[in-house]
Structure formats: C-alpha cells, structure tokens
Amino acid sequence: MTTANQGDIVVGVDHSAVSVAALRWAVSEAAESGRQVVALRAWAFEPVADLGAAVAGSPETVADRERRRLDEVVGEVRAEHPGVAVRAELVEHSAAVALEEASKTAAMLVLGSHGRGRLLKLLVGSVAEHCLREASCPVVVIPARTVSEPEKEATPEPVGSYYPGPLL
C-alpha cells in the first residue's frame, strides 16, 4: 500500500480546502521536526457512486486525473516550504483503510475534518472518525473552521464526486 517510513508524517489529501490546510500543517510540522511528509490520496473506480468515474470510462483515466490533482496540490504546498521533503502517493483503496494501513508505519497521521454524518462524524468526518479509532499512531485532525470561507469556496468539491441528497 503506502511506503511511509517510521518517521514520516502521513497526510490524507482529498482535494478539499481543509485537507490542503492539513497538508500545510504537516509540512510546517515536518520543517520543525526534520521529518518527511507523505501526501496520501486514496481513490477507487466506482462508476455507480462517482459520476466522474462513470464519465471517465476507465480506472486508468480516473487514476490519471487523481494523480494530476494530487501533484498540483503537493506542488503548491511544496513550493511554500522547499526545504521539506514531500512525497505524493496515490493508492487505489478506500480512504479509511488506506490511511489506517499507512498509520502502521507513520510517526503521525494528519487529516482534515469535514463534518458529515452523526455526532463524532459530524465533528470530524467519517474517515477521520475511523482513523481516530483504528490508527496505529497519533492522529492530528485539522478543524474545518481553520480554513477561511473564501478558501473553502475556491476549492470546490471534485468534479464527478456525487453525494446523494436525503431520501424522502
């Protein structure tokens, strides 16, 4: 799965503004601690749940799209801290499982909160909630409120992601 080393800081990156904030926090922490950062993006080819995957037509096309977007985000943050080693990793798996697996060899796991779901999931997001319960290393959750409103608006949901509304 991921090739994180014992001293690496692993960050879950899903292209949301709060995950970019989490990546920035991790890079700042790595600059202070001398650690390396692994920006981990998990993806899956699910044309039934993801309209972008359905339109793309193939897993390779979706993987290429995800790789380009991850490289853009990592490149932007890497430019802000050129002295910190940041490696982008794309993993074909669910985010929760990929991050849990990466936590087994990481010094820490850094995630952004999203606030979808119930109670704890409402506060931190379902992936963060899973990682808080199952990770093998310390988990840092960057709250969504740390991201300014204009920045949230500048980073729209990924094209092709589909979140169904409530069933009536």
Side-chain angles (χ1 to χ4, degrees):
M1 190 151 314
T2 179
T3 57
N5 295 317
Q6 290 293 349
D8 290 348
I9 299 171
V10 176
V11 185
V13 178
D14 67 0
H15 313 306
S16 66
V18 71
S19 78
V20 175
L23 180 58
R24 284 191 172 103
W25 186 92
V27 169
S28 294
E29 175 65 23
E32 294 294 321
S33 67
R35 297 185 188 280
Q36 295 184 47
V37 174
V38 176
L40 181 65
R41 169 68 176 148
W43 70 280
F45 182 71
E46 298 174 341
V48 173
D50 180 357
L51 292 177
V55 171
S58 73
E60 295 79 18
T61 304
V62 174
D64 289 344
R65 177 188 71 193
E66 294 299 329
R67 169 56 68 189
R68 279 192 309 276
R69 295 176 73 214
L70 178 60
D71 289 344
E72 287 173 16
V73 169
V74 168
E76 178 185 318
V77 174
R78 190 183 283 143
E80 297 167 5
H81 296 275
V84 177
V86 182
R87 185 175 70 248
E89 285 198 17
L90 190 65
V91 178
E92 187 176 4
H93 216 303
S94 72
V97 172
L99 290 164
E100 179 185 345
E101 185 66 26
S103 78
K104 293 177 181 175
T105 58
M108 80 173 65
L109 193 57
V110 182
L111 309 166
S113 67
H114 288 298
R116 292 191 179 109
R118 295 183 177 185
L119 201 50
L120 183 58
K121 291 178 186 176
L122 179 64
L123 299 174
V124 297
S126 60
V127 172
E129 184 264 340
H130 175 88
C131 291
L132 286 169
R133 284 186 292 108
E134 303 297 334
S136 301
C137 66
V139 178
V140 176
V141 180
I142 305 301
R145 70 177 179 273
T146 63
V147 179
S148 67
E149 288 302 317
E151 196 174 345
K152 286 179 188 174
E153 292 171 12
T155 311
E157 283 291 323
V159 174
S161 291
Y162 172 70
Y163 299 104
L167 298 174
L168 302 176

